[in-house]
Amino acid sequence: MEQEHKRRVRYKGTHPKSFKEKYKELQPEKYAEDITKIIQKGSTPAGMHISICVNEILEILQIEPGQVGLDATLGYGGHSLEMLKKLNHNGRLYATDVDPIELPKTKERLEKLGYGSDDLITLPLNFSNIDKVVTESGPLDFVLADLGVSSMQIDNPDRGFSFKIEGPLDLRLNPNVGISAAERLKTITKDELEGMLIENSDEPHADIIAKAIVAHIKRGKPLNTTTHLRQIIEETLAFLPAKTKDFDIKKSCQRSFQALRIDVNEEFEVLYAFLEKLPDALASGGRVAILTFHSGEDRLVKKSFKWLHREGVYSEISAEPIRPSAEECSRNGRAKSAKLRWAIKA
């Protein structure tokens, strides 16, 4: 594995109505029937998150009572709940997450289900700090890292993750750390932004989108909201063939927001650090499963696992990524881009 990760190109408002007013799904006790219908249609209710590849992950990790493990990306806690059930109040699960908004909510949710501090230890850490977890936990028998952004984050307008909802252009997983996407764009160059769009999301129209955004900002018009950025992309791609224009513009919006999110959260650098520290965190025979949602993430995981397998660090790795079943993708559209890889420590 290379010693240093480098990008191919070094690319160095008005708030909406209350989230609770906009999404009745946030009150499940009041709208249980509505939520059931939403899930049956293959959508994820706002403010909730449907975990992906749960059965496949449990089969890979082979969790047994008495073990110690880590959910490196706690999120809504769906995967953690299933892992805690396998431990059956005998063992311990550590869980990390950088999101100061969702972490306490998930901790409280799991406590109400009967999993307190004897079963679950939550830590407000980035998963690149897995070495700090092990200082407290000791060698880990199993590790899960789900690299997808949680639906609660995407659906919350105040977080600025979605181009579909008006909100501040933020995109930080921890809004208290670093700079927002709006700030990031204020000083970016055209070449740097184009490189970001290519490297982080394989955007086919990276050149003209980057040119339009930078020109707009240079005219003294900062992009402070999600809607504003979406409008620039829509106007820039108005020349696309009418037959597929709406779909193609939607995909370019998704990719552009993804590229910015990856950049402001330094997601590739964080993943690289995690993969380097992972072998030392695992006990002999320890198992790891990593769920990715972007080709760049999957390439990093694949490269790390293969190299460390050749070096004898991992005794076994997945030959090919596991994909969610057609049935799961039909139930949960956000599963379609997921890839699951695994490794076992020698």
Side-chain angles (χ1 to χ4, degrees):
M1 197 170 188
E2 296 173 353
Q3 292 299 308
E4 189 175 349
H5 170 62
K6 295 181 179 178
R7 297 183 174 101
R8 289 195 299 271
V9 179
R10 182 61 204 182
Y11 53 83
K12 309 180 258 185
T14 300
H15 288 256
K17 288 184 178 180
S18 155
F19 190 27
K20 289 185 178 180
E21 289 175 6
K22 188 170 182 66
Y23 294 112
K24 62 185 178 182
E25 302 102 295
L26 286 176
Q27 303 174 62
E29 69 287 349
K30 199 171 176 184
Y31 297 102
E33 189 175 332
D34 296 82
I35 289 174
T36 301
K37 289 179 181 177
I38 290 168
I39 293 173
Q40 286 174 345
K41 289 179 180 178
S43 298
T44 303
M48 294 179 66
H49 182 81
I50 300 175
S51 299
I52 295 168
C53 289
V54 173
N55 292 333
E56 292 87 344
I57 287 167
L58 293 177
E59 185 176 345
I60 288 165
L61 297 181
Q62 296 185 14
I63 299 167
E64 297 178 358
Q67 291 186 329
V68 176
L70 169 68
D71 186 342
T73 48
L74 176 62
Y76 192 75
H79 286 122
S80 280
L81 176 59
E82 299 306 318
M83 292 190 282
L84 286 165
K85 288 177 183 178
K86 289 292 183 181
L87 288 174
N88 195 26
H89 301 288
N90 181 8
R92 184 163 287 183
L93 180 67
Y94 288 78
T96 58
D97 204 299
V98 295
D99 191 327
I101 298 169
E102 295 299 332
L103 179 60
K105 294 179 185 177
T106 299
K107 181 181 180 182
E108 182 181 1
R109 190 182 302 116
L110 292 172
E111 283 177 347
K112 287 180 178 178
L113 293 172
Y115 298 102
S117 58
D118 289 340
D119 302 296
L120 175 68
I121 305 295
T122 58
L123 301 168
L125 286 175
N126 191 296
F127 70 100
S128 63
N129 295 308
I130 188 173
D131 51 327
K132 293 183 180 179
V133 178
V134 175
T135 301
E136 180 178 336
S137 68
L140 299 163
D141 298 303
F142 61 90
V143 173
L144 168 66
D146 174 356
L147 305 185
V149 177
S150 293
S151 299
M152 314 89 63
Q153 294 163 328
I154 294 171
D155 292 333
N156 186 342
D158 293 335
R159 307 298 298 272
F161 281 98
S162 175
F163 66 91
K164 298 177 183 178
I165 313 167
E166 170 79 8
L169 188 61
D170 195 308
L171 290 166
R172 286 173 293 177
L173 296 170
N174 183 347
N176 302 322
V177 174
I179 61 171
S180 68
E183 287 293 322
R184 179 74 172 97
L185 289 174
K186 283 182 180 178
T187 57
I188 204 165
T189 66
K190 186 264 180 184
D191 287 345
E192 192 178 9
L193 181 53
E194 181 183 353
M196 180 200 297
L197 292 169
I198 293 170
E199 180 78 10
N200 292 359
S201 62
D202 305 313
E203 171 53 50
H205 304 294
D207 180 22
I208 57 174
I209 290 175
K211 184 177 180 180
I213 290 173
V214 172
H216 184 87
I217 292 170
K218 282 186 175 179
R219 290 196 295 270
K221 300 176 180 179
L223 298 178
N224 291 322
T225 69
T226 54
T227 302
H228 203 172
L229 177 57
R230 185 190 74 214
Q231 288 170 345
I232 295 295
I233 297 170
E234 289 174 342
E235 291 167 7
T236 303
L237 302 182
F239 69 90
L240 293 173
K243 187 176 181 180
T244 60
K245 182 164 71 173
D246 288 348
F247 176 79
D248 291 340
I249 288 177
K250 175 184 174 183
K251 297 305 289 184
S252 283
C253 285
Q254 287 175 340
R255 288 189 290 260
S256 297
F257 273 69
Q258 172 184 277
L260 273 169
R261 189 204 78 224
I262 288 172
D263 179 86
V264 297
N265 294 292
E266 299 182 337
E267 292 179 28
F268 287 154
E269 291 85 349
V270 164
L271 175 57
Y272 189 87
F274 170 76
L275 290 168
E276 283 207 316
K277 296 175 181 179
L278 179 60
D280 290 334
L282 287 168
S284 178
R287 294 167 172 263
V288 57
I290 302 181
L291 196 59
T292 66
F293 293 82
H294 175 257
S295 58
E297 293 172 339
D298 182 60
R299 281 193 295 269
L300 270 179
V301 175
K302 177 182 178 181
K303 182 178 179 182
S304 173
F305 282 3
K306 279 193 168 184
W307 186 78
L308 291 169
H309 184 230
R310 286 197 300 268
E311 294 294 308
V313 175
Y314 292 133
S315 61
E316 193 176 349
I317 62 171
S318 48
E320 296 293 336
I322 298 168
R323 304 300 296 264
S325 66
E327 181 185 356
E328 179 169 10
C329 290
S330 123
R331 287 196 320 265
N332 181 6
R334 289 173 179 169
K336 291 177 182 176
S337 59
K339 292 182 180 179
L340 177 63
R341 293 185 184 272
W342 56 267
I344 302 174
K345 175 80 176 290

